[in-house]
């Protein structure tokens, strides 16, 4: 590792004025979002390759609805365990 380079960069960054620091933060944030975007595209390609080019065929709204229903039931069971036992006895 080039510690001299790192030390020099730290010194330069510490000597930036507030506007320059803001610009540096903006540029590095943009760079991170670009990296994330490229990674997302790469993962998408891997998924399509595994699925032999077939896109996912699902109703996202229905999936979200089902997940909410499941979570609501989990919360009800946690908050009211006796009611949950009663309901399972009735349905059996």
């Amino acid at each position: 590792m080039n510690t001299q380079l790192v030390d020099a960069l730290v010194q330069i960054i510490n000597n930036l004025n507030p506007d320059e620091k803001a610009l540096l933060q903006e540029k590095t944030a943009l760079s991170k979002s670009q990296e994330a975007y490229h990674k997302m595209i790469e993962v998408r390609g891997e998924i399509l390759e595994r699925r032999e080019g077939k896109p996912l065929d699902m109703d996202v709204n229905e999936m979200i609805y089902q997940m909410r229903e499941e979570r609501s039931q989990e919360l009800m069971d946690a908050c009211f365990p006796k009611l949950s036992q009663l309901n399972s006895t009735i349905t059996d």
Side-chain angles (χ1 to χ4, degrees), residues 13 16-29:
I13 291 170
L16 293 175
N17 67 41
D19 291 336
E20 293 167 333
K21 284 185 181 180
L23 180 61
L24 177 63
Q25 287 178 338
E26 180 183 315
K27 295 281 186 177
T28 55

Side-chain angles (χ1 to χ4, degrees), residues 63-81 83-84 87:
M63 181 184 292
I64 292 171
Y65 174 78
Q66 288 176 358
M67 292 171 68
R68 284 182 177 159
E69 288 294 313
E70 290 170 9
R71 183 62 181 145
S72 294
Q73 187 60 49
E74 289 173 4
L75 292 171
M76 289 294 289
D77 292 347
C79 292
F80 307 104
L83 181 63
S84 172
N87 284 339

Side-chain angles (χ1 to χ4, degrees), residues 2 17 19 23 25 34 43 56 58 64 74 82 85:
N2 190 342
N17 67 41
D19 291 336
L23 180 61
Q25 287 178 338
Q34 287 173 338
V43 169
L56 294 176
M58 66 177 78
I64 292 171
E74 289 173 4
K82 290 183 181 180
Q85 292 170 355

Side-chain angles (χ1 to χ4, degrees), residues 15-65:
N15 289 326
L16 293 175
N17 67 41
D19 291 336
E20 293 167 333
K21 284 185 181 180
L23 180 61
L24 177 63
Q25 287 178 338
E26 180 183 315
K27 295 281 186 177
T28 55
L30 181 61
S31 153
K32 288 179 185 177
S33 64
Q34 287 173 338
E35 288 175 27
Y37 175 76
H38 290 296
K39 181 64 178 175
M40 183 177 65
I41 296 298
E42 180 183 327
V43 169
R44 178 182 180 269
E46 291 170 4
I47 291 170
L48 280 174
E49 185 178 317
R50 272 195 314 242
R51 295 185 51 81
E52 298 174 350
K54 292 183 270 181
L56 294 176
D57 185 25
M58 66 177 78
D59 182 0
V60 176
N61 293 323
E62 179 62 26
M63 181 184 292
I64 292 171
Y65 174 78

